[in-house]
Amino acid sequence: MEKHLEQFSQDIKANPDVDLILYPEGYCQVTHLPEVKKLAKTFQTAVVMGYRNEQNVDRALIINKRGETLLDRAKTPETMPLFMPSTVDDDGQRYGYVLCREIFMGLEGLKSEEDIQLIFNPIGVGMFSEEQYEEWSGEAKKIALQQRSIILGTSHADGSYRNCGHSIPIAYCFDETGEEVLLSKNDTLTRIVDTVKKTVNLLIPQI
């Protein structure tokens, strides 16, 4: 979780052919959003991430390639149904969004008769156990199957859940049939995943 936007700036500039970049939950502060929008517009690259507002609370964010905000909403508390909106339309594509632990609300909250092409899951810190890793990726696979949609997620490499001292970075992608396209742990390489209509850069910052 950087104080500035060094890695994001580097990635978006180094990958001009990428259509969309996915970053983890809480990657940047609200004061950085004008610069994120400017870079998105300059490089014609959509951006999906989570950011921290003035109260240091996580929010969901999608910015299109024109630098316009498509989605900006609060993170859903664990005891409540998934906050809306959690789907947006962008140039003929329909995106779904579950921020970090909202993945466990997605089966019900994203359930829809309308087609969703891509579902995003920006995650905060890594997994705290192998069991959580299996549970998290298993939930993502269920959502992909239910919605017949590609689902993608990525976490930070640094930090641990509630300072437990253990963190397993995760990045994943399941296709519309629930087949594994990418499922990594403890591997902080930048990933580029080609989908049918989009190219998505999955990143775990090495901070």
Side-chain angles (χ1 to χ4, degrees), residues 1 7 23-24 27 154-158 188 203-207:
M1 299 182 181
Q7 187 154 347
Y23 258 59
Y27 170 70
T154 188
S155 79
H156 289 282
D158 62 330
T188 53
L203 180 79
I204 301 175
Q206 301 176 62
I207 308 302

Side-chain angles (χ1 to χ4, degrees), residues 105-123:
M105 308 168 196
L107 276 175
E108 186 61 34
L110 287 175
K111 195 171 184 179
S112 172
E113 298 299 323
E114 298 182 61
D115 290 338
I116 301 175
Q117 282 73 46
L118 297 171
I119 298 172
F120 303 107
N121 180 212
I123 307 164

Side-chain angles (χ1 to χ4, degrees), residues 11-12 15-21 43-46 192 199-201:
D11 283 322
I12 199 168
N15 296 280
D17 296 328
V18 166
D19 297 296
L20 187 149
I21 293 181
F43 292 95
Q44 293 287 286
T45 304
I192 295 179
T199 302
V200 180
N201 181 359

Side-chain angles (χ1 to χ4, degrees), residues 123 125-127 133 136-137 153-156 168-172 183-186 204:
I123 307 164
V125 295
M127 307 289 98
Y133 178 87
W136 205 284
S137 56
T154 188
S155 79
H156 289 282
I168 305 172
I170 180 175
Y172 71 80
L183 185 56
S184 73
K185 60 181 177 181
N186 287 324
I204 301 175

